[in-house]
Amino acid sequence: MGTNWKESAESAKFRSNIYGLLATVFRKEPSEALIKELRDPRLAGVFQDLGVDLGEVLKDIPEHEVVETLSIEFTRLFIGPKDHISAHESIFTQLDGGMSALWGTTTVAVKSFIETAGLDYKQEFTGIPDHISVELEFMHKLAQWEAEKWEQKESKSAEYCQSIQRMFLEQHLSCWLPRFCEEVMDKTSVPFYRNMAELTRNFMRFEQQSTAH
Amino acid sequence: MSESKTLDISRRAFLSGAGAAAVGAATLVTPGVSQAATSDVPRWGMVMDLRRCIGCRACTVACKSENDVSLGRFRAVITEKTTGTFPNTKKTFLPLMCNHCEGNKKDGVPPCVKACPEYPGKRAKFTTPDGQKITYRTGATYKRPDGLILIDKEKCIGCGKCIDACPYGVRSFDPFVKAGGDPTKQAADKCDMCAHRVDNGLEPSCVNTCQGRARIFGDLNNPNSEISKLVKKHNLAQDANVLLPDKGTDPHVYYIDPDNLLHAIYTERKKKKLDHFVDQIT
Amino acid sequence: MKQFNRRDFVKLAAATGTVMVTGLSTSQNALAGDVRLQEGGRDFSPITKKERVAIPTTCWQCVTRDSMIGYVEDGRVVKLEGHPDSIRTLGKLCAKGQAGINHVYFPDRILYPMQRVGKRGEGKWKRISWDDALDLMASKMKPLLDNGTPELFMYQYGRHKGSQSSIMHDFMDAFGSQTIGTHTSVCEGPKWVGQESLWGGMYDNWDYDHTDFVVNFGSNQFETHTNHIPTSQRLIRAMVDRNVPLYTFDVRLSNTAAKSTEWVPINVGMDGLVMLSMVNVIMNEGLFRRDHLQYMRVSPDYHATDDEKIDAIKQHVAKFTPEFASEKSGVPADKIRMIARGYAKANAACLIGYRGTVMHYHGADQERAAMLLSAITNNLDRKGGRVMGVGASWKHPSSPKAKLQKGLDITNGFPGEAAFPTHQCSQQNLPMIKDGRNGRPQVYWSSCNNQAFINGNNNEAEAILADEKLIPFYVNTNIVYDESSQYADLILPDVTYLERWDYEDMVSPTGVGEYSIRQPLIKPLGEARDQGEVFYGLAQRLGIELAYKTKEEYVRKSCEMTPGVKEAGGFEYMKKHGVWHDKKAKPNYGFYEAKVDVSGDGVILDKKTGVYWDYKKAGVSKTEAESKGYLGVEGAKKAYVAQNINGTPRLAYPPNTSFTKSGLLDFYSDNFAAKGFPAFPTYTPIPEHQKMDKDDLHLTTYKVAVHTHSRTAHCKWLSEIKHDNPAWINSKTAAARGIKDGDSIKVKSDIGEITTTAHVTEGIIPGIIAISHHFGRKHSGIYGSGKKSPTTVTASSDPDAKNMWWDKHGTHPNSIIPNSSDPISGGQRWMDTVVKVSKA
């Protein structure tokens, strides 16, 4: 079997990019810089082609106003103080026993998985280890590393990295992310978050299909 | 945040069953409360001193916490009942849990174990404190040689027969644990006398937290244990001091009950119903 | 949106890569370091072996603050148990304590600062950073400093004790505002005021380990007590092991009444009268002990002989015969005699009381009657009796105080409302703000205090918090969204007590003080931050100097400067052991007998009162001291040295509270007389009760074993056991109104009406209705209120939320209880409300 190094590297890089994008979207409230980037015709055009409605982001209003609107929705959806969707795997997982929802045993498993891969949680990160954005960022980093290995023609390492990504998808992301996304789609009327959630769900489906062998 | 540290648990603390923390290190220390003085296999049991139960529910919550018991069911409860007419009104607290029955005289198999389709299963070995090995039959529900009635959730097929068979209604399905033998169903669950603690020399969690010292746990085979002395002193090994003696289950939870409250306020569960095994304060 | 294919994602990825080159690896990342993967290297399989770490710390569910051990696995708190080395708790922890974990990991917990963005109360929020939150607060507070009006910053707290309290006061002193609201007057204020008027700043406890007889008025000792675990376990042990009788006077068959030797039903507000009739029996039957008379003042005369005192007491209580008391209280006269005799004859006896006795009109005077019963039987600070509670005496770092110290007079009730509000009149804090006559704070910051739930007339409290004209800027520090935080302009995420540092000082029932610390079991979740650190963040922005940066530093310094703790090994010792007490210390029974050296320069004997005092310390000349006398010199009580007890200078009962008095127990109180209150404990009818219609009922409230007043509704294990609060009503009272058990009923007072459910029972006296006050939450997470959960309709919240089987959340009685105060102490009169009850 001949390996197409370049194609494999590209593919991994693309996946890494998508994970990175989604991690950025769900990490916290958007920054003006992010809005600017999303408004870049090169990106905005693709979103449009794909039928992803970015809502306020593309409206003719100043960036800081977009940020304000989306920040309020982000808080309402994911932070509280009232009914919100806690964006953490252990909240959604069913394996957690009657024990705590927040920072449950699943959180420990996620943290341990990520640390086993050589990564550390930054001191300044104040979230909880199984936050959606951390899991997405983790995949972003793994795919990035995979791409590097393909470029260095280290197929064994690259394939091993693929298997680790598959494992993380199966054990973690795919167990809850689709349900989380559907919950968000159901609970928000702000196009940006509804569409980002749908995009994420669709990407999960794609990932599950393309990594399943 | 503080540095991770291991508490210097003194022997005294340890003997009083102070710390589940000691679980890891427990085998290194002489087990305290759980130690059988003789080479005999222990026979664990519980005495409930109704004079001392003040209905505070620390046991109920300690059990929830120790065993991650989901909402909607309990492994241990306090039931309370108000009787009499004003101003001569009384209110009684009755702690309930699995009776860890010996089973009827004929075959020594409690009804829950008998009802389990997975019993008798493979043989297993139980090691006594002095290293003797005793063979016993496992099942999804089974009796260990030390008298504890345990559930092997891996073997459980979620049929619910043990739940129906227990005359005390202490069993329920665990909504969080699938039956290993049939993952489409939920596994049965109930009080296991905190076997994970007992096996490491600690008192059950409900005993550890009981401020009235109404719960006394120990080895009934050891004549010098506190529980044995209490059983002797109060003559507890008789029908009047256990629940539903006529069922022939030979319960090993005994009640010190000088006011004869037990049989006045305890009623047998209604068939198929578990609603009397719910802890509620009126 | 369509289903994406591979090509779609490639397009998106490419564009993302082009546009967001920097965006994908910004400083927002959570993860640091490089991926290190090597085939066959690390094991990614789930962890099976867990490391369990035990950390000693201190509970904070209620004011008892039991020492405990927290067990942590993989950074998660998994279990809390009592601390076996604690001389207070003896290794026990109550139901609430066991459920403490529920505070950390409940799905509705507030984890980030949030700023209101819609109208106040509209419920629209934006998460902001701590820096922005502190900047915002500082921007509101700085002008107050600049304008010389620090008092316009108000701090309203509920449960702050130990270092939480001292660090808060330190910050407030550094800022210069003394506008500080507490909550004691809705709790047990009248009890302390009654005691302070007598034996000084004491905190009574009961020596159950050595007592022979216990009489309880209105204290639910076995369910909820201010020093619950340390005392209740000792009481039940005394009862079973030593056959100590316990007689409980209560309107309701509480668990305490149920476990008593006998429940003695008593009509509402009659505790003091029955106590006085017990005094009557004891005096007239000669069952009193003369020992303590020399420390008592029972008439204006400071120098009365014992016989004169006996006569005076007899005279005071002459009309309170058991028959008189019986008629009003419903307690048979013979029962009063029997209990009085048993109590007086016992070698050592405890007279205990709490909310049921004191949260009334003249509640403080009822407590004085309880002290009188203790004194005439020589059970005050005697082995086996009502003793002085001994706590820990911590030292702590102090920051420079602001030169300008001011406070708004809005925490002591309306003018003339309370004569001695030494524990404030906090139920009126918000109404005072509404009233405005004594000013209004510009910045109102509440912490661990749910004003809109805990006070009487809570609907009014809510309306005041909702009004921006009355409270321009409201900051709420909390772990859960509640009735008050819904109106905040800024919500700050508090740490739970399992995530913070503190030293603690709650009294010990053994007469030997115990020092304990609280240390974090885990890192605070999210961005939850200890108030101590919030103070520091503010101080930096306000240009205020504090003596510490973090709470940990504050507690560490306190450990290093506190005698005893310091020598034992200070902070490191406390971190390792959690508790410390002086192994050589013995209970100091009869502290008042201590002989005092009065030979010091400046110490003179005041002829009128028999007080030895140091006129130099009082800052006056000898001439002035002698001409004005001890009582005539302002502040002389601070120079108190001793009391002349039959010729011997003894410590007696130093006047260490706001009451100016001699060293005698002021059963005859000039302080009270001067304000028009009974100088000697008496029976004062409750005004509302004198004009009741025939079908009117009394409304009383109570607590149950598994909840604190307002801080535990979101604890699922507790709310599972108790989440509803049907109104207790006697079968006769119910029948007269056609009410059956489970019926929906209306309860109407002068200020409102609630609809609740009837619990028809034989466990309550006829003529009253009793409703516990924990429930009827508008907010408090899904377990507390059934709403405002993360996701109420789908499976995606706390997995256990699906198993939540109860849908009743009770009815809050406070909305029909007016804020009205004991005119002596300012205590909220929870038990005096008159209602009409009918079938709904």
Side-chain angles (χ1 to χ4, degrees), chain B residues 1-2 4-10 12-13 16-21 49-58 60-62 64-66 69-74 82 84-87 89-91 93 175-176 197 205 207-213 278-282, chain C residues 52-54 56 69 71 78-79 81 84-85 90-95 98-99 101 222 228-229 232-233 236-237 240-241 253 255 258-259 263 265 519-523 575-576 705-706 716-717 720-723 728 730 762-766 783 799-800 803-806:
Chain B
M1 182 177 158
S2 70
S4 285
K5 64 184 78 64
T6 306
L7 180 72
D8 178 22
I9 289 194
S10 66
R12 180 179 73 72
S16 68
D49 190 341
L50 295 185
R51 300 170 302 172
R52 295 173 192 269
C53 175
I54 58 173
C56 75
R57 264 70 173 195
T60 305
V61 181
K64 282 257 168 186
S65 177
E66 180 74 31
V69 182
S70 64
L71 296 177
R73 61 198 190 88
F74 296 83
T82 304
T85 308
F86 180 86
T89 321
K90 303 266 180 234
K91 188 174 180 185
F93 308 103
F176 288 123
R197 293 173 63 106
S205 182
V207 176
N208 168 274
T209 204
C210 181
Q211 59 163 316
R213 275 80 165 169
V278 171
D279 198 326
Q280 290 294 282
I281 294 176
T282 29
Chain C
R52 188 171 263 215
V53 183
I69 307 284
Y71 297 101
V78 292
K79 185 86 195 295
E81 293 186 356
D85 293 339
L90 306 173
K92 303 299 172 189
L93 193 62
C94 79
Q98 294 277 351
I101 294 173
F222 285 144
H228 175 67
I229 283 287
S232 77
Q233 61 175 309
I236 189 70
R237 205 170 51 205
V240 179
D241 292 347
L253 184 66
N255 289 5
K259 289 305 287 189
W263 168 40
Q519 57 184 321
L521 302 178
I522 52 166
K523 200 173 135 227
K575 279 204 293 186
K576 191 174 174 194
V706 299
K716 62 181 180 184
W717 293 329
E720 178 171 36
I721 297 174
K722 182 74 177 169
H723 41 261
W728 285 33
N730 182 279
E762 298 297 319
I764 190 165
I765 59 169
Y783 300 120
D800 220 7
N803 302 318
M804 180 181 159
W805 52 270
W806 63 96

Side-chain angles (χ1 to χ4, degrees), chain B:
Chain B
M1 182 177 158
S2 70
E3 299 286 308
S4 285
K5 64 184 78 64
T6 306
L7 180 72
D8 178 22
I9 289 194
S10 66
R11 190 170 179 314
R12 180 179 73 72
F14 186 67
L15 293 181
S16 68
V23 162
T27 44
L28 303 174
V29 193
T30 310
V33 64
S34 64
Q35 173 72 304
T38 66
S39 60
D40 290 342
V41 57
R43 203 318 171 183
W44 303 123
M46 185 92 82
V47 162
M48 304 281 196
D49 190 341
L50 295 185
R51 300 170 302 172
R52 295 173 192 269
C53 175
I54 58 173
C56 75
R57 264 70 173 195
C59 51
T60 305
V61 181
C63 174
K64 282 257 168 186
S65 177
E66 180 74 31
N67 300 298
D68 291 356
V69 182
S70 64
L71 296 177
R73 61 198 190 88
F74 296 83
R75 280 180 168 206
V77 299
I78 301 292
T79 55
E80 54 181 51
K81 191 163 184 177
T82 304
T83 53
T85 308
F86 180 86
N88 301 307
T89 321
K90 303 266 180 234
K91 188 174 180 185
T92 309
F93 308 103
L94 179 62
L96 298 174
M97 57 181 267
C98 172
N99 282 285
H100 294 275
C101 305
E102 192 60 31
N104 68 25
K105 294 239 157 51
K106 224 162 50 197
D107 54 15
V109 182
C112 53
V113 177
K114 206 169 281 177
C116 178
E118 302 301 299
Y119 179 87
K122 279 194 191 132
R123 286 183 168 77
K125 293 245 191 302
F126 178 83
T127 310
T128 64
D130 67 337
Q132 286 183 57
K133 299 222 189 292
I134 298 174
T135 305
Y136 66 101
R137 297 298 285 264
T138 61
T141 276
Y142 61 100
K143 185 171 79 180
R144 217 165 61 166
D146 59 0
L148 299 190
I149 310 296
L150 303 176
I151 294 174
D152 184 340
K153 292 181 182 175
E154 280 300 308
K155 291 204 182 81
C156 180
I157 57 169
C159 68
K161 285 181 180 158
C162 60
I163 297 176
D164 292 340
C166 172
Y168 308 100
V170 302
R171 290 168 171 256
S172 55
F173 287 116
D174 185 339
F176 288 123
V177 180
K178 298 242 181 294
D182 179 356
T184 65
K185 304 226 171 76
Q186 299 305 123
D189 188 59
K190 68 154 190 94
C191 159
D192 61 359
M193 200 76 99
C194 286
H196 61 289
R197 293 173 63 106
V198 171
D199 291 348
N200 287 289
L202 301 172
E203 293 171 323
S205 182
C206 58
V207 176
N208 168 274
T209 204
C210 181
Q211 59 163 316
R213 275 80 165 169
R215 306 173 90 103
I216 299 97
F217 167 82
D219 179 9
L220 292 156
N221 279 352
N222 175 0
N224 296 318
S225 69
E226 187 187 358
I227 187 172
S228 293
K229 287 178 188 162
L230 284 171
V231 168
K232 201 173 156 199
K233 181 179 170 196
H234 296 277
N235 192 21
L236 302 179
Q238 53 161 344
D239 284 359
N241 298 82
V242 296
L243 296 174
L244 305 182
D246 52 317
K247 296 286 167 188
T249 52
D250 192 4
H252 274 55
V253 174
Y254 303 98
Y255 292 84
I256 297 178
D257 179 25
D259 299 328
N260 293 316
L261 303 166
L262 200 57
H263 298 292
I265 65 167
Y266 185 76
T267 46
E268 193 179 346
R269 67 183 290 211
K270 292 196 191 81
K271 225 174 165 39
K272 302 267 180 194
K273 287 220 162 172
L274 296 176
D275 53 1
H276 77 304
F277 203 69
V278 171
D279 198 326
Q280 290 294 282
I281 294 176
T282 29

